[in-house]
Amino acid sequence: MQFGAKGYSVKEFLMNILNGSAIGIVTVLIPGALLSLPLRLLAPYWQGAQLLMQGTLVSNAMMGMAVGVITATFFRFTPIQMASVGLATVFAGGVAKAGAGGKGLMLVGTGDIITMWITTAIAVALILWIGEKVKSYTILVIPALTLFVAGGIGATIYPYVTMITHYVGMVVEACITLQPLLMCILIAVLYAFLIMSPISPVGIALAISLSGIGSGAGNLGVCAAAFGFCIGGWRVNSIGTCLAHWIGSPKISMANFIAKPRTMLPIICTAIIMGACAAVFNVKGVPMSAGFGFSGFVGPVAALDNSSTGWTAMNTVFLFCLFSVVSAVLSYAFNYIFMDVLKLVKPEDYKLEIR
């Protein structure tokens, strides 16, 4: 089966959708991840910090646009077609909410990632099907048709798709009812998988109010995935691409994870130990912090804020080392074992193409 006149196979189509979605998500989250802590520290002394913090919120709200436009570039769409996919994805993603009394719209959060992914796929398939047929009428037909057909379908299924997030949240909640050590291990491993999927781990945390050591374990699981893909791909990816996994988000390699699940083998081992560390060292967090890992220092800062000993020098050094150095060392060790000793994974499995 092929899509459109350009003849994309089903595999190529899905990989392009996954790659575009992953890069779009990371693109909008990186400004907040990098700037949240510095701006938070500057806010009491510099009024402009508040304005810049609003900018990071706008960036998050435009996730649908970024996902749609960047995905469209993978299909070599025209500018009009790219913008059309982006508009449909924003419309369906659920980020726009009616204002008070039904007047106006407000941008709230980032929207539902799974709905964005489905809507983008529908919009791209629609344009591949009719794009060459409308020719000079593109400006009249493509934006409106994509918005109302692909966007309309996405907006209609949005309430039902978000139920998936709810059910995943129930799984996490069930883990929390177990004894702390096993619970933290399960959550760390689960969050290592969630960060590599279209599902937002932060959304899951907010949905079930994941806090305390559950949130801390989730962040350490994300660190395991981030450093796992960063170190696993250092032989085949550029330095910037490797660093983007833990400075930004490992979700950038979502397509690699889907295509080659064996890339998670060393990460699972790292996540097990990191989850145990969360229980042993009582690493805590809040729902909003779960899912960021080391990105933007969100994980360690939340752990410090919720620690019984607070921001002491020793506690600060310890937690930052746990979130970074320990994660990196474990990731290096397990990548060596699975790559060089057992030869179950290869460096090429972590190869990431960013255009």
Side-chain angles (χ1 to χ4, degrees):
M1 180 180 177
Q2 292 185 329
F3 289 86
K6 297 179 182 179
Y8 291 99
S9 66
V10 174
K11 180 179 179 180
E12 289 173 330
F13 179 84
L14 292 177
M15 286 300 102
N16 283 347
I17 296 293
L18 289 173
N19 272 313
S21 299
I23 296 173
I25 292 166
V26 172
T27 298
V28 300
L29 291 180
I30 279 181
L34 291 178
L35 299 175
S36 60
L37 180 58
L39 291 176
R40 174 182 166 186
L41 296 175
L42 286 172
Y45 312 102
W46 181 43
Q47 196 171 13
Q50 291 290 343
L51 179 63
L52 295 179
M53 290 173 70
Q54 292 176 16
T56 63
L57 295 177
V58 172
S59 176
N60 291 345
M62 288 294 102
M63 182 180 289
M65 178 61 73
V67 167
V69 170
I70 293 176
T71 299
T73 65
F74 279 79
F75 293 91
R76 299 180 177 86
F77 280 1
T78 66
I80 293 174
Q81 293 171 335
M82 291 181 192
S84 299
V85 176
L87 291 171
T89 307
V90 171
F91 170 49
V95 70
K97 307 293 185 182
K103 297 180 180 180
L105 292 173
M106 299 184 299
L107 298 180
V108 181
T110 61
D112 183 72
I113 294 175
I114 299 178
T115 304
M116 293 179 195
W117 183 67
I118 294 172
T119 305
T120 300
I122 295 172
V124 168
L126 180 65
I127 292 175
L128 287 174
W129 179 45
I130 67 169
E132 300 296 328
K133 300 176 183 178
V134 296
K135 297 182 180 179
S136 58
Y137 297 98
T138 294
I139 188 64
L140 297 176
V141 176
I142 294 297
L145 191 64
T146 306
L147 180 66
F148 293 118
V149 175
I153 293 173
T156 301
I157 65 174
Y158 168 77
Y160 306 101
V161 173
T162 52
M163 290 176 62
I164 297 175
T165 302
H166 173 71
Y167 288 129
V168 174
M170 290 177 62
V171 174
V172 179
E173 192 173 16
C175 294
I176 298 176
T177 61
L178 301 175
Q179 59 95 6
L181 181 62
L182 180 58
M183 176 197 76
C184 288
I185 290 174
L186 289 174
I187 290 178
V189 173
L190 180 58
Y191 261 66
F193 277 97
L194 284 177
I195 194 64
M196 301 310 303
S197 75
I199 299 172
S200 169
V202 180
I204 299 296
L206 291 171
I208 64 170
S209 298
L210 183 65
S211 59
I213 58 173
S215 175
N219 270 325
L220 290 174
V222 171
C223 286
F227 282 98
F229 274 93
C230 173
I231 293 173
W234 74 271
R235 302 179 192 177
V236 292
N237 293 323
S238 67
I239 295 176
T241 299
C242 291
L243 294 180
H245 287 84
W246 64 274
I247 294 177
S249 170
K251 201 179 284 287
I252 195 173
S253 285
M254 180 171 61
N256 293 54
F257 158 65
I258 298 295
K260 301 169 183 176
R262 61 178 176 270
T263 54
M264 291 296 291
L265 289 173
I267 292 170
I268 292 172
C269 296
T270 301
I272 289 173
I273 297 178
M274 296 302 289
C277 287
V280 172
F281 298 111
N282 200 30
V283 180
K284 296 181 179 180
V286 295
M288 191 61 192
S289 71
F292 279 97
F294 191 77
S295 177
F297 309 121
V298 173
V301 168
L304 284 166
D305 284 340
N306 292 274
S307 172
S308 58
T309 53
W311 285 73
T312 63
M314 183 177 294
N315 196 36
T316 301
V317 171
F318 171 74
L319 284 173
F320 269 86
C321 286
L322 178 62
F323 273 82
S324 57
V325 178
V326 175
S327 294
V329 170
L330 289 173
S331 295
Y332 179 84
F334 285 117
N335 267 292
Y336 175 78
I337 292 171
F338 282 93
M339 198 175 291
D340 298 317
V341 179
L342 300 179
K343 300 188 184 301
L344 294 177
V345 293
K346 300 179 293 184
E348 292 72 22
D349 294 337
Y350 297 91
K351 177 68 174 177
L352 185 61
E353 296 288 347
I354 299 181
R355 309 175 199 179

